Amino acid sequence: MREGIALVRGDAALLRVLLMTAVAGLVLTGPLTVGVPWLAAERYGAGPATFGVMLSMWTAGSLGGVVLAGALSRMPSINRLLLVVAAVIGTALVALGLAPGMIVAGAALLLMGVGAGCFNVLVMTWLQERTDQAVLGRLMSFVELAEVATTPVSYLLAGALLGVSVSGLYVAAALVFVLSAAAMLTPRADRLLSVGGRP
């Protein structure tokens, strides 16, 4: 564990990716797992079949994102990847929160899935290319921790915000994701993350 912590603290780009992975878990898990069933039942007055269609759109988008990532001829810069994915997923979250009907909601889930699927493949590739094989297992445990640790918080916040405003839940999630990505890539954040480590 000490070696893993030292590895993460000594690499600013790696720390940035781990922080954004945690933010992604926070803003996506609850709105998808808690929010989408609520949308299907309460906003659209639909049953299990409609809920299944909504989930299948997310899954289809994720598969498309995986295929898209595999088709790229070269790995994009990690900073550009974070910004593009944040913009895509942020737009999709807002669209889902404001969607008046199933067609818009399905399209938003499809787009969100593409962004998430592409992000997962490219980030995992980037991490494995950047990390010494001797410590790769330790690193991947931190990646999992960054995502899993935010899951219960995301569920709690999503449930609480649904009681106030369903649209507000998705707009807030989008703002947190996009602003976190933008803040993480500012020169000031880069200096903070680079203190005593690799840029």
Side-chain angles (χ1 to χ4, degrees), residues 65-74:
V66 169
V67 172
L68 175 63
L72 294 177
S73 59
R74 62 187 179 87

Side-chain angles (χ1 to χ4, degrees), residues 132-154:
D132 186 342
Q133 293 297 309
V135 293
L136 186 57
R138 296 181 185 88
L139 172 65
M140 296 312 294
S141 70
F142 277 93
V143 174
E144 283 295 313
L145 179 63
E147 184 175 348
V148 172
T150 57
T151 295
V153 179
S154 186

Side-chain angles (χ1 to χ4, degrees), residues 12 15 31 67 82 90 98 108 125 182 188 199:
L15 183 56
V67 172
L82 291 176
L98 302 178
T125 301
R188 179 176 176 79

Side-chain angles (χ1 to χ4, degrees), residues 33 46 77 109 172:
T33 309
S77 74
L109 284 164

